[in-house]
Amino acid sequence: MERQMNAQDRPELDALVAAVARQLAGPFRGKPVQPDLEQLPLPWDPQHQLPDVLWPRRHLALAGLELTQSIQYNGAVGVSYGDDNSIPLVALKPLVVRAYPYVQPGVAEPDTLTGARVTGELVLSVGDRIVYRTGPTRADGARLGARNELSRELWDNELTVPVGGPGALAFHLAHVNSSLNFFVPAWYCRTGHFYLSVRLWRAGSDGALSAPQDRATTGRYIDFMDVRPPRVAVARVNWTDSSGNVTSPADAIMLSTMRTAERMLPFPYFETTILGTSTNSSAAFASAATGGGCNTAWTGLLADLAVTRIFTALFQLGDIVFAFVPSAAVPAAAGTYNTGCGRAEGVGAAFAGSDTRFAYDFIFAHEMGHVFTCNHVAVPGDSSDDPNYPNYGGSKTSIGEVGIDPGTTPPTLFGPSDTSDVMSYKSKQWISPYTYLKILNARENHQSAPADPRRVRSLLILAVRVHRRVSDENRIEIRKAYRIEAAGMVSRPSDGAISPLSVDLLDAHRRIIATHHCLYTRAQATCGCCGGGVAVPLDREPFYDLHEAIEWPSEEVAAISLHDGREPLATFEVGEPPQVDISGPERRDQFLALRVHARHPRAQPSIVVLFSGDDRETWQPVAFDPPDGEVLVESERLPGGERCFFRAIATAEFRSASADSSQFELQRSRRRLYLRLPDPQCPIAPGAVPLGAMIDCRGLGVVRSDEIRWHSDLDGDLGLGYELVAQLQDGRHLITVTAPDGRGGSLAERGIIIVGGRPAGVVGQAQF
């Protein structure tokens, strides 16, 4: 719909007005601004229609196509940083295709195209089989005009702006036109080789029979690459305030906080399991950071999560562990404070919930960037900034391209002139091509292979704290030590990791049986309303923590020696095992209660509690070092089975002992499905309505996009996928989303949407 400029449009239109007036020439200099539209940085399509050399006729032409899933790499503002559209396309992520039609001038003939509208269709095919066919997202098409009137920062609308200035005879109206946009749902973007074609024609005419000058066609082969979804184990932090009130983030809040990152990052979705274990804390997470790093609350939490991550990886629950702290932990009057923290070791934590000051979904995406080896981008005073981040035309933080969030209606566009990279501390953020590719190339850092239950190994899980050397005295603290047997593997950080400490396993004659090299990655914080800081050298830190899974070769190990490559810093003897008892379980509403008691004459034993639902064939961790020996586990978060057991393993002096509970039967658990509807406070107009499904996999494997189905009692089947933009007619819709429950059945969630200006609401969950 064409519209006139009004007062509230002024800030966002200033750059476009200047561009139309051709007051900008060349690439960015200093502060990023809107590029010159006459030299618009559109991807060039070599198959666009060329005019007749002898007698050029006015005709419909294409400046090019853009294929975008969240960001692309196209060479902005006349400066090339790579091949057009060189960002790989990821399978099972929705695809936005933008066609840029314009009027190619002719000679001595009336102009019947300028101001007309153009429509078209997109066809995705494999060989001679059409996979998907769709029309543009705007029913009445796009306005045609000159090539220099095209803008990449408009979506399905055009502007009429006054152009003129001092010295001009008069103001005149200029048009700024958007692309013709097509949306391909995630389900159709399968792994493989496809042909994508776009046909355009003048609106109101037949696309096949219209005159040649009134139609245009282009096409290309594209590939969607298979990217495994990261397995993320989510931990909940129950936070207690100074008055003793306990606040916990709900499952749906935690899952919802992850959704923007799923659309932004180069993954189709996350395989998320919310752990049954949680952390109780009253720490000051909102206190300011020191030295540009994480404050002590986040540092302590990440140290605990690092141990949890080793167990979730070994027992196949997740390769990344992320904790969410309720936003209630942020004081109302907080100024500068940490909002999260992440490490390439595979752990991170952040606030979840709603806050008018910060978008916590973007903070989660930021911390996931740290997990995948990304450093900060141009944070003032931060010496750990990424020195290789490209200077996109003069800006130190600009994303350099137009980003697209297809999860909103209409899609949100992020222009390079006012949007900074998600790894920066700027207020308006999206992902850049550089960060997108860096995360994509680091995706295998946290992708473990399936465990072979026939290859169970004896392991020592070790948490070591190395304190700063004082007066030639070394202090090394063994914070946790667990001896267990497991079949899984733990991925180890590589990029940016150092090895400040090694562990020698010694026999009774002090001969080295095996050596393990520890790896360390520095934690990086996200800070609200503050700059960074100088990274303190490791040997000047008050302490640093290491978390390792060390293969225990045999019972001949008599001691372990910790050293930095020179003389031993500390040696610890292998002693006698503890004694451990377990009683229960006792059913308490939705919980199972256990009592675990471990004792040792000289040391405080470390305890891990495991659960098996298949007569002790496989196990998963459910609790660590339970306070006062009592373990409470939500029964519905356990796999369940006919022959279930709990096992308590206690470790002291690097020797372990175990005890099993009595056998019991437990109903098999299923995945949990949540429905996300539009904001109930926003009127819902007929047309495109965004819908979203969120799934807690509960260790039962990932749910593919094609397994999630949407239905309306008015409009019938709506489509497939985690997220869907549905075309809904006026009326009251009962929306149903279904997904497999992981046990051979299905789950369903239902909600009501009233289209026509009234709010939406969820009415409950049904399971089949």
Side-chain angles (χ1 to χ4, degrees):
M1 178 179 66
E2 186 171 328
R3 62 185 176 93
Q4 299 291 326
M5 184 189 68
N6 51 45
Q8 59 264 33
D9 293 322
R10 192 74 238 180
E12 70 178 71
L13 297 181
D14 282 343
L16 288 174
V17 172
V20 175
R22 302 186 179 91
Q23 295 174 354
L24 309 175
F28 287 152
R29 305 289 185 192
K31 183 180 179 181
V33 292
Q34 177 74 20
D36 186 348
L37 295 185
E38 192 164 16
Q39 298 181 359
L40 195 68
L42 296 173
W44 183 256
D45 182 354
Q47 300 187 43
H48 84 289
Q49 285 68 36
L50 294 173
D52 190 314
V53 176
L54 298 179
W55 190 259
R57 300 188 63 186
R58 181 176 285 106
H59 63 274
L60 172 63
L62 268 172
L65 293 180
E66 288 180 338
L67 281 63
T68 307
Q69 291 183 312
S70 63
I71 193 71
Q72 66 178 36
Y73 210 171
N74 175 56
V77 200
V79 181
S80 177
Y81 299 104
D83 296 335
D84 289 351
N85 304 301
S86 64
I87 291 293
L89 298 177
V90 174
L92 300 179
K93 283 182 74 71
L95 176 67
V96 173
V97 178
R98 308 186 72 190
Y100 289 88
Y102 69 99
V103 178
Q104 178 68 43
V107 176
E109 60 179 322
D111 184 358
T112 60
L113 284 175
T114 298
R117 309 199 71 79
V118 61
T119 187
E121 73 167 358
L122 175 148
V123 175
L124 190 67
S125 58
V126 176
D128 59 356
R129 179 173 64 89
I130 293 177
V131 175
Y132 184 69
R133 184 195 300 268
T134 187
T137 55
R138 184 172 178 179
D140 62 345
R143 182 188 182 278
L144 286 173
R147 188 176 191 275
N148 68 335
E149 293 177 348
L150 288 167
S151 171
R152 301 171 66 207
E153 298 189 31
L154 295 177
W155 180 273
D156 281 354
N157 69 314
E158 49 273 340
L159 303 175
T160 302
V161 296
V163 177
L169 295 178
F171 283 90
H172 65 279
L173 295 179
H175 294 279
V176 185
N177 301 324
S178 73
S179 57
L180 190 66
N181 304 303
F182 301 88
F183 186 85
V184 182
W187 159 238
Y188 298 100
C189 303
R190 300 279 194 91
T191 303
H193 191 59
F194 293 79
Y195 188 77
L196 184 146
S197 64
V198 173
R199 294 195 309 128
L200 305 183
W201 60 86
R202 186 170 177 172
S205 65
D206 188 307
L209 303 177
S210 56
Q213 63 268 24
D214 290 347
R215 62 178 187 263
T217 302
T218 186
R220 65 183 59 175
Y221 286 100
I222 62 174
D223 293 278
F224 293 102
M225 65 183 298
D226 184 25
V227 175
R228 285 173 55 188
R231 295 191 307 168
V232 182
V234 172
R236 189 192 331 268
V237 176
N238 307 312
W239 188 75
T240 304
D241 64 17
S242 58
S243 301
N245 302 310
V246 179
T247 307
S248 303
D251 290 4
I253 291 295
M254 296 189 294
L255 294 172
S256 180
T257 305
M258 303 170 68
R259 292 315 295 266
T260 299
E262 287 180 303
R263 300 194 299 268
M264 181 194 301
L265 304 184
F267 304 112
Y269 35 76
F270 296 138
E271 181 182 339
T272 304
T273 293
I274 299 177
L275 299 176
T277 60
S278 59
T279 299
N280 300 318
S281 177
S282 57
F285 290 100
S287 63
T290 57
C294 305
N295 64 34
T296 55
W298 295 111
T299 299
L301 177 59
L302 259 61
D304 292 339
L305 295 178
V307 175
T308 303
R309 172 190 166 266
I310 291 175
F311 280 95
T312 60
L314 289 174
F315 293 98
Q316 303 283 283
L317 281 179
D319 298 313
I320 298 168
V321 172
F322 202 95
F324 285 107
V325 179
S327 58
V330 182
T336 297
Y337 64 93
N338 267 179
T339 54
C341 201
R343 294 179 63 161
E345 188 176 355
V347 295
F351 289 114
S354 59
D355 192 312
T356 58
R357 291 163 293 180
F358 296 101
Y360 291 137
D361 50 350
F362 279 85
I363 293 169
F364 170 75
H366 179 106
E367 303 309 336
M368 288 297 289
H370 287 322
V371 168
F372 286 97
T373 73
C374 294
N375 288 351
H376 287 144
V377 171
V379 172
D382 191 343
S383 60
S384 64
D385 270 0
D386 187 344
N388 298 316
Y389 189 81
N391 189 324
Y392 289 108
S395 170
K396 295 181 179 179
T397 62
S398 170
I399 57 174
E401 269 296 337
V402 175
I404 295 182
D405 183 356
T408 61
T409 302
T412 302
L413 303 188
F414 297 90
S417 60
D418 63 354
T419 308
S420 297
D421 187 78
V422 70
M423 300 310 298
S424 73
Y425 277 2
K426 299 293 185 178
S427 57
K428 186 178 182 183
Q429 295 180 341
W430 194 247
I431 197 167
S432 68
Y434 175 84
T435 300
Y436 193 95
L437 285 173
K438 188 168 186 178
I439 294 175
L440 184 66
N441 292 335
R443 65 189 183 278
E444 294 182 358
N445 287 11
H446 305 295
Q447 289 185 355
S448 62
D452 184 350
R454 298 169 299 178
R455 302 188 63 182
V456 175
R457 304 168 346 273
S458 180
L459 298 165
L460 170 65
I461 312 303
L462 196 63
V464 179
R465 174 163 291 178
V466 182
H467 294 265
R468 182 191 299 173
R469 185 183 182 99
V470 178
S471 300
D472 296 328
E473 180 182 348
N474 298 304
R475 182 184 166 210
I476 296 181
E477 175 188 357
I478 303 293
R479 300 182 66 239
K480 300 288 182 183
Y482 304 90
R483 280 281 307 279
I484 63 167
E485 292 186 343
M489 301 292 292
V490 180
S491 60
R492 307 186 74 202
S494 54
D495 297 346
I498 60 175
S499 181
L501 196 72
S502 297
V503 180
D504 288 339
L505 305 182
L506 310 175
D507 66 11
H509 302 286
R510 291 304 191 258
R511 292 176 298 196
I512 298 176
I513 300 175
T515 297
H516 176 93
H517 300 292
C518 304
L519 292 182
Y520 173 82
T521 60
R522 187 181 295 274
Q524 290 188 288
T526 304
C527 189
C529 301
C530 68
V534 177
V536 179
L538 193 60
D539 60 357
R540 301 305 303 161
E541 292 278 11
F543 61 83
Y544 61 89
D545 291 319
L546 299 169
H547 311 92
E548 300 293 327
I550 304 172
E551 290 205 30
W552 195 265
S554 69
E555 291 304 317
E556 295 180 4
V557 178
I560 68 170
S561 174
L562 282 65
H563 61 90
D564 59 2
R566 298 185 293 272
E567 296 181 359
L569 303 177
T571 299
F572 300 90
E573 302 293 330
V574 175
E576 64 178 287
Q579 293 180 313
V580 61
D581 301 308
I582 185 171
S583 60
E586 172 190 339
R587 298 180 186 269
R588 299 181 187 172
D589 298 326
Q590 73 270 30
F591 293 96
L592 294 177
L594 299 165
R595 294 294 303 179
V596 178
H597 179 60
R599 52 203 176 275
H600 190 271
R602 291 175 298 277
Q604 176 65 43
S606 297
I607 300 172
V608 58
V609 180
L610 308 178
F611 170 82
S612 174
D614 52 11
D615 199 13
R616 295 177 278 206
E617 287 293 320
T618 61
W619 297 90
Q620 70 177 54
V622 295
F624 302 94
D625 300 306
D628 302 322
E630 183 176 63
V631 180
L632 286 177
V633 184
E634 289 185 69
S635 58
E636 67 172 11
R637 295 190 185 278
L638 298 174
E642 296 179 357
R643 298 175 64 85
C644 300
F645 292 87
F646 284 106
R647 173 173 292 174
I649 303 174
T651 304
E653 295 183 340
F654 309 113
R655 299 281 300 277
S656 65
S658 65
D660 290 356
S661 72
S662 56
Q663 178 185 314
F664 63 99
E665 184 176 349
L666 185 65
Q667 181 178 356
R668 296 185 184 275
S669 66
R670 303 190 290 178
R671 299 183 181 110
R672 184 68 186 270
L673 175 63
Y674 300 88
L675 172 63
R676 188 176 64 175
L677 295 176
D679 186 344
Q681 304 303 317
C682 299
I684 300 177
V689 178
L691 307 172
M694 302 176 293
I695 297 178
D696 177 3
C697 295
R698 299 199 170 177
L700 297 174
V702 71
V703 178
R704 303 192 315 269
S705 294
D706 61 306
E707 296 178 310
I708 303 172
R709 298 178 177 273
W710 297 85
H711 182 271
S712 163
D713 63 337
L714 288 186
D715 291 336
D717 290 334
L718 301 177
L720 310 169
Y722 278 85
E723 292 190 327
L724 188 71
V725 178
Q727 298 293 327
L728 300 181
Q729 60 177 299
D730 272 333
R732 180 184 182 277
H733 294 257
L734 176 62
I735 302 295
T736 303
V737 58
T738 59
D741 65 0
R743 297 295 186 186
S746 67
L747 302 170
E749 178 81 4
R750 293 189 174 96
I752 293 174
I753 293 180
I754 301 176
V755 177
R758 295 176 60 186
V762 177
V763 297
Q765 180 188 48
Q767 299 179 342
F768 300 93

